[in-house]
């Protein structure tokens, strides 16, 4: 098995990252986070079709592309096509952050995945030529500069598009990481919950109950916030479900191990949902749903934007979140106010301990035993999702550039590459069926 790069090799490697979409979130979070990861990370390119991005959510005017280019010392492009066609920059990009409009995620994601496939095919052609000269270069896996993706949520707003991205990233081009920026899924507490379920401490999962309530009427009842309240041609609806419940659905499927186990847990088959809508925008702001699953799991999910206040006020008002997962051997509960860690903690109860409450994070070294969900801190090097993405970029870059320096190919694939695409697919499938059910008044079959 191929040895991973040493710390010295990785430290000498600079992962080159392109940022695609330079609105409020990229300028306030992604770009500063990438800059804070220097010198092991370089902002290689900024891509946006608008020379002067604007946002209704920004407290001050956004920087123009020219200003961003000067600030981060990188070239700018109008499209992903232009970036990838630049022979001096495109082929050397190790990863891309996709922060464009929800409806454009598919087109951008597919372009990046096709670029990864193109790179591999180019490497295969070179390998065949080399094999004719020396048997030394023959190997099972063709090493090339992998292209990893950090995709903003939701992965797409169309089930068919989500399914295609899942297929492309797991079957056609599995070499690059495919991370969806659900920051709650990469909290240390989330990983503890995931290990508990993977180790069968809950037994067979039978029931899931969850809710997410936020102070977000200022967002979903303002017509100026078009990206959050208007639906594109590919969307069955738009509002709180896509804007917020995508986070909690992703958390649930992440801890269930979607995409990492042979068992397809809680595969949704039907959804019944009722919704209420904002008076000024028509966006959904409250909903209650029941989700039927192929393995018999009962699953209820609800949420609302009607909690008074704002998360950006002083003091900030947090979201109230609750997830409860029950199995034949035990239950796992996680709830609290995401602005007040002291309001909750991960709680495990098992039949072997007669239902006595246990708090597993308290036993984990280096993990705070409190309630932590989304990570929206604009300071520092970024949330866990960013860290995993950059680690994949640095690792694959170090292997590729190390092989060039050694003039040999060390080409076995990595044991595991992070891929959130099945989590993304399940999220889109359920939300799409929620919207259709709210219109029909009937349970709707989940599209596969």
């Amino acid at each position: 098995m191929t040895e991973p790069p040493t710390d010295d090799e990785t430290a000498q490697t600079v992962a080159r990252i392109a940022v695609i979409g330079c609105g409020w979130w990229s300028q306030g979070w992604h770009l500063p986070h990438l800059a804070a990861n220097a010198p092991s990370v370089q902002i290689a390119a900024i891509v946006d079709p608008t020379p002067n991005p604007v946002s209704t959510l920004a407290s001050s005017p956004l920087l123009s592309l020219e200003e961003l280019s000067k600030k981060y010392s990188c070239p700018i492009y109008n499209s992903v096509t232009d970036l990838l066609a630049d022979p001096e920059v495109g082929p050397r990009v190790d990863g891309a952050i996709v922060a464009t409009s929800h409806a454009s995620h598919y087109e951008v994601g597919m372009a990046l995945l096709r670029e990864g496939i193109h790179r591999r095919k180019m490497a295969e052609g070179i390998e065949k030529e080399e094999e004719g000269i020396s048997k030394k270069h023959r190997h099972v896996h063709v090493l090339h500069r992998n292209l990893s993706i950090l995709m903003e949520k939701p992965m797409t707003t169309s089930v068919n598009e989500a399914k295609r991205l899942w297929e492309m990233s797991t079957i056609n081009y599995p070499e690059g990481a495919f991370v969806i920026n659900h920051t709650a899924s990469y909290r240390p507490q989330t990983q503890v919950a995931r290990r508990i379920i993977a180790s069968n401490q809950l037994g067979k999962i039978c029931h899931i109950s969850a809710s997410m309530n936020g102070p977000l009427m200022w967002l979903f009842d303002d017509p100026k916030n078009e990206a959050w309240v208007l639906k594109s041609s590919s969307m069955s609806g738009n509002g709180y479900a896509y804007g917020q419940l995508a986070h909690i659905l992703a958390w649930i499927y992440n801890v269930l191990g979607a995409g990492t186990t042979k068992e397809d847990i809680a595969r949704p088959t039907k959804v019944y949902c009722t919704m209420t809508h904002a008076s000024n925008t028509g966006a959904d702001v409250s909903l209650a749903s029941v989700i039927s699953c192929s393995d018999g799991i009962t699953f209820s999910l609800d949420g609302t934007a009607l909690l008074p206040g704002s998360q950006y006020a002083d003091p900030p008002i947090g979201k109230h979140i609750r997830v409860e997962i029950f199995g034949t051997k035990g239950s796992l509960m996680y709830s609290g106010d995401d602005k007040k860690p002291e309001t909750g903690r991960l709680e495990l109860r098992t039949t072997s301990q007669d239902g006595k409450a246990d708090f597993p994070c308290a036993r984990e070294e280096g993990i705070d035993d409190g309630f932590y969900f989304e990570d929206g801190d604009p300071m520092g090097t970024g949330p866990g999702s960013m860290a995993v993405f950059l680690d994949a970029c640095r690792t694959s870059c170090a292997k590729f550039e190390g092989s060039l320096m050694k003039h040999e190919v060390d080409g076995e694939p990595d044991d595991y590459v992070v891929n959130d695409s099945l989590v993304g697919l399940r999220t889109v499938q359920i939300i799409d069926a929620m919207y259709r059910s709210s219109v029909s008044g009937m349970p709707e079959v989940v599209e596969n």
Side-chain angles (χ1 to χ4, degrees), residues 28-43:
W29 283 264
H30 291 320
L31 287 166
H33 287 158
L34 290 174
N37 277 277
S40 65
V41 169
Q42 175 189 346
I43 299 174

Side-chain angles (χ1 to χ4, degrees), residues 143-288:
L143 189 64
H144 61 284
R145 187 183 292 279
N146 291 347
L147 184 56
S148 293
I149 297 170
L150 175 63
M151 179 82 74
E152 271 301 334
K153 63 82 187 172
M155 184 167 77
T156 70
T157 53
S158 157
V159 175
N160 288 335
E161 291 177 353
K163 184 177 180 182
R164 185 65 182 131
L165 282 176
W166 169 60
E167 291 172 341
M168 281 286 285
S169 65
T170 57
I171 299 173
N172 302 95
Y173 188 67
E175 289 93 338
F178 192 101
V179 182
I180 300 177
N181 197 33
H182 290 291
T183 59
S185 297
Y186 288 91
R187 290 285 199 179
Q189 297 78 10
T190 308
Q191 302 312 306
V192 172
R194 185 173 181 168
R195 290 200 301 268
I196 288 171
I197 292 177
S199 61
N200 200 39
Q201 293 182 57
L202 302 190
K204 184 183 183 299
I205 304 301
C206 300
H207 179 67
I208 302 168
S209 176
S211 67
M212 185 173 188
N213 307 309
L216 292 165
M217 286 302 291
W218 62 269
L219 177 63
F220 292 105
D221 199 26
D222 188 341
K224 294 195 302 291
N225 302 324
E226 294 182 358
W228 297 87
V229 301
L230 297 182
K231 63 178 183 178
S232 66
S233 59
S234 65
M235 303 175 77
S236 300
N238 196 14
Y240 194 77
Y242 269 127
Q244 293 299 305
L245 288 190
H247 288 297
I248 198 168
L249 278 168
W251 193 94
I252 291 167
Y253 278 96
N254 185 287
V255 300
L256 291 178
T260 63
T261 63
K262 293 182 180 179
E263 186 178 1
D264 192 3
I265 302 176
R267 181 171 64 83
T269 55
K270 284 186 179 181
V271 175
Y272 176 73
C273 182
T274 59
M275 292 181 173
T276 61
H277 300 83
S279 58
N280 292 321
T281 65
D284 58 285
V285 292
S286 296
L287 61 88

